[in-house]
Amino acid sequence: GAGGAVLAASSLAPCALAAPIEPMKVGVFGLDYTFWTIWADLLSPKGRRVGTRLLRMQPAYVWDKDVKRAQQFAQQWECEVVERFDGMIGKVDAVINGELTNVPWQHLLLRPYLQAGIPCFLQRHWSDSLVHMDEMLDLAAKHSTPIMATVPFEHYNQAEVAIAQHALGHRHVIDV
């Protein structure tokens, strides 16, 4: 009866009064050949697309080898440009390498963040070298740094085809 309604209402009250979770401040690397044209909308502090609030992230700082491009990004997404690739240490909750062409240098760009314990998003295909990948994984383990990475679902069909062709005697290199 009425007692049950009061109990239900009082048990919901703390949830309704809970403070909202602040978005993570994210550092952005790379604006050349990039997925930022898609993801920056999702990460935008303006919430221009559905999902932004679920991600609870917003670009806070950006670095790019092209300073003009970094300034344009910063103006568009209301974040700050840093002069050096390691200039976001102590300022961000995580860093995201969003540029595919940065992959060969990803282990160098992310090294100071891995050492500082700042979570890092690795752009796929993660590394051009197993040695560099091992270096990043070892640093992450040593400093208890989370590493985030996407799963390249769009490549699964190609892998199946390559495996089937391999069984038929054809040889291919598969990027994993």
Side-chain angles (χ1 to χ4, degrees), residues 30 36 53 55 102 104 111 117 131 139 160 171:
W36 281 109
R53 291 189 179 109
L55 293 174
N102 273 348
R111 181 181 294 148
V131 171
L139 274 175
E160 289 175 9
R171 301 288 189 254

Side-chain angles (χ1 to χ4, degrees), residues 151-166:
V151 177
F153 287 113
E154 69 268 21
H155 300 298
Y156 283 178
N157 291 337
Q158 290 83 351
E160 289 175 9
V161 169
I163 290 167
Q165 289 178 346
H166 178 73

Side-chain angles (χ1 to χ4, degrees), residues 45-113:
K46 299 285 189 200
R48 295 184 178 136
R49 287 194 175 175
V50 174
T52 304
R53 291 189 179 109
L54 295 176
L55 293 174
R56 301 202 190 290
M57 290 188 261
Q58 72 180 53
Y61 296 90
V62 60
W63 175 84
D64 190 82
K65 60 190 174 292
D66 181 339
V67 175
K68 185 176 178 182
R69 187 177 291 144
Q71 290 168 340
Q72 290 169 340
F73 181 92
Q75 183 177 8
Q76 183 177 4
W77 305 111
E78 299 177 3
C79 60
E80 185 178 325
V81 176
V82 293
E83 292 180 16
R84 293 176 39 94
F85 75 93
D86 57 355
M88 297 178 267
I89 293 174
K91 299 178 181 182
V92 295
D93 301 314
V95 291
I96 299 176
N97 176 24
E99 184 174 323
L100 297 172
T101 58
N102 273 348
V103 169
W105 301 278
Q106 186 162 238
H107 67 289
L108 299 173
L109 293 171
L110 296 179
R111 181 181 294 148
Y113 296 95

